[in-house]
Amino acid sequence: MPVRVSEFTWQQTPAAVFLSLPLRGVCVRDADVFCGESYLKVNFPPFLFEVFLYAPIDDGNSRAKIGNDMILFTLYKKEPVMWETLSMPGVDKEMMQRIREKSILQAQEKAKEATEAKTAAKREDQRYALGVMMKIEEEERKKIEEMKENERKKATRELEAWKESQRRAEEQKRITRKDKCQQRKQAEERGALKPLSLPRKAPPTHLPQKGRNWENIFSEKLKEDSVPAPRSAGSIQISFTPRAFPTALRESQVAEEEEWLHKQAEARRAMSTDLPEFCDLKEEEKNPDWLKEKGNKLFATENYLAAVDAYNLAIRLNSKIPLLYLNRAACHLKLKNLHKAIEDSSKVCLQDYEAALKIDPANTVVQKDAEKIRNIIQGTALKSHD
């Protein structure tokens, strides 16, 4: 049986009750305090203190301070009145039991409500954090989509500009051919209308004589210009010495030609060693510029897959020509391969940024933009492989 403690002191004001309870040498860690609206209990074995309060208190705001072998309670009253006594008068055992049970049930309900409120607050915090993360991810996604859209528009504009330049070049060639045909036709008409020159009659070699005193009035032989007869038509066979250098001799220099031939020979040897699959190609098919023009013709005939193959081979031969990536991006755009189109367009932009970094390596803005483009290229490459 626990030993009930009856030694305590208390004071009050209209708003609060101050209760002081000695611990009798018991360790503070062993003290168990329970406080309800009408019931207060302190269990510090082997001692027990309980009191059935005179009037209800605000147990949520009431406080207990433990120290110096003493527990000091500050109990705030629900109604600001002075109590006649600390404990409720005329309380029997049944009433005490009911008050205890009621106080325990109220404490359990409050604890349950507090737990539910804490869980709801935690859930609300998680929902808010998730909403913030989703908003951040949405903003990042919009930025990436905007960058992709800008790259697509840029590639489309460059493609349209290239098509317009091709159209103008073809139009200029057509006009030039038409002018040449007209000039040739006019020259043929002028040649057909030119009258033929007829040979003049030769003067007589023997003149008639009249008597002995007749003298020839021509002291010298007449000199006249004679017009030759038209030449007969014919054909002349002309053969030219084949040249490896693509320009005329009058437009080239011997030193540059020899250097170019040396580089071509080195490229052929490197290609046969590093890329044996190119050994079966024709000589012109090993030229990136020829492959680019071939891809352009295939693109003009809407044979986009074959054009992509031509650009792929040209890029393998020389990956430093930005126009090859742009043309291949245009083919991918026509084939609806948007990720590959963005990847090729971004490679051209990345080459520009790398050139800028070589000029100004300490430029942080260019470094960040170049890193973003690298991430885009890697992301689009992974998506295209998937």
Side-chain angles (χ1 to χ4, degrees), residues 291-306:
L291 291 170
K292 178 174 70 66
E293 295 298 328
K294 182 69 174 178
N296 296 344
K297 293 179 181 178
L298 293 171
F299 183 92
T301 59
E302 298 183 358
N303 190 355
Y304 305 122
L305 289 175

Side-chain angles (χ1 to χ4, degrees), residues 227-271:
V227 179
R231 295 180 180 178
S232 59
S235 60
I236 301 175
Q237 299 293 333
I238 299 175
S239 60
F240 297 95
T241 303
R243 288 178 53 77
F245 202 66
T247 59
L249 182 60
R250 63 179 178 274
E251 299 176 359
S252 65
Q253 298 180 4
V254 176
E256 294 179 355
E257 181 175 357
E258 291 178 353
E259 182 181 359
W260 183 84
L261 293 173
H262 178 70
K263 289 182 178 179
Q264 290 292 98
E266 290 292 334
R268 285 194 295 269
R269 285 195 297 270
M271 189 179 301

Side-chain angles (χ1 to χ4, degrees), residues 111-375:
K112 183 179 179 181
E113 292 176 358
T115 303
E116 292 177 353
K118 185 177 180 181
T119 304
K122 183 177 180 181
R123 189 163 48 247
E124 187 64 26
D125 292 341
Q126 291 177 350
R127 186 181 297 108
Y128 175 76
L130 180 60
V132 172
M133 292 179 61
M134 291 178 63
K135 185 177 180 180
I136 294 174
E137 291 178 356
E138 181 67 18
E139 291 177 356
E140 292 294 331
R141 186 187 65 80
K142 287 182 179 180
K143 289 181 181 179
I144 294 174
E145 291 296 331
E146 184 178 356
M147 293 179 64
K148 290 181 179 179
E149 182 66 18
N150 292 336
E151 292 295 332
R152 185 190 66 79
K153 289 181 180 179
K154 182 180 178 182
T156 304
R157 287 196 300 268
E158 292 177 352
L159 176 61
E160 294 298 330
W162 175 79
K163 291 171 65 176
E164 181 64 21
S165 64
Q166 292 294 107
R167 186 189 65 79
R168 291 180 180 178
E170 292 295 331
E171 183 68 19
Q172 186 65 30
K173 290 181 181 179
R174 187 184 65 80
I175 295 174
T176 303
R177 288 196 298 267
K178 184 177 180 181
D179 293 341
K180 287 183 179 180
C181 291
Q182 291 179 354
Q183 292 176 2
R184 185 166 56 253
K185 186 176 181 181
Q186 292 175 359
E188 291 177 355
E189 291 177 355
R190 287 196 299 269
L193 294 176
K194 185 177 181 180
L196 298 176
S197 300
L198 299 177
R200 298 181 180 179
K201 294 183 179 180
T205 56
H206 301 283
L207 297 175
Q209 296 179 357
K210 291 184 178 181
R212 68 178 66 178
N213 294 327
W214 176 260
E215 292 180 359
N216 191 354
I217 61 176
F218 300 100
S219 62
E220 295 180 356
K221 188 177 181 180
L222 296 176
K223 297 181 180 179
E224 297 180 355
D225 294 334
S226 61
V227 179
R231 295 180 180 178
S232 59
S235 60
I236 301 175
Q237 299 293 333
I238 299 175
S239 60
F240 297 95
T241 303
R243 288 178 53 77
F245 202 66
T247 59
L249 182 60
R250 63 179 178 274
E251 299 176 359
S252 65
Q253 298 180 4
V254 176
E256 294 179 355
E257 181 175 357
E258 291 178 353
E259 182 181 359
W260 183 84
L261 293 173
H262 178 70
K263 289 182 178 179
Q264 290 292 98
E266 290 292 334
R268 285 194 295 269
R269 285 195 297 270
M271 189 179 301
S272 61
T273 304
D274 299 336
L275 302 173
E277 63 270 19
F278 292 159
C279 296
D280 298 333
L281 298 178
K282 297 180 181 179
E283 193 64 27
E284 64 270 17
E285 293 176 348
K286 300 176 182 179
N287 187 352
D289 294 330
W290 185 89
L291 291 170
K292 178 174 70 66
E293 295 298 328
K294 182 69 174 178
N296 296 344
K297 293 179 181 178
L298 293 171
F299 183 92
T301 59
E302 298 183 358
N303 190 355
Y304 305 122
L305 289 175
V308 169
D309 293 337
Y311 295 137
N312 288 341
L313 185 57
I315 289 173
R316 293 190 63 186
L317 293 172
N318 189 351
S319 61
K320 302 298 183 181
I321 302 177
L323 192 57
L324 295 175
Y325 293 99
L326 290 177
N327 293 355
R328 190 171 69 176
C331 294
H332 286 312
L333 194 62
K334 290 291 185 180
L335 295 172
K336 306 300 182 182
N337 297 330
L338 301 182
H339 293 297
K340 293 184 178 179
I342 293 172
E343 182 181 358
D344 284 342
S345 302
S346 301
K347 286 181 179 177
V348 178
C349 295
L350 183 58
Q351 291 180 1
D352 295 338
Y353 274 102
E354 289 177 350
L357 286 175
K358 290 181 180 179
I359 298 174
D360 188 5
N363 194 322
T364 58
V365 176
V366 177
Q367 292 176 358
K368 292 180 179 179
D369 292 342
E371 186 63 26
K372 289 181 180 179
I373 295 176
R374 290 191 189 95
N375 294 333

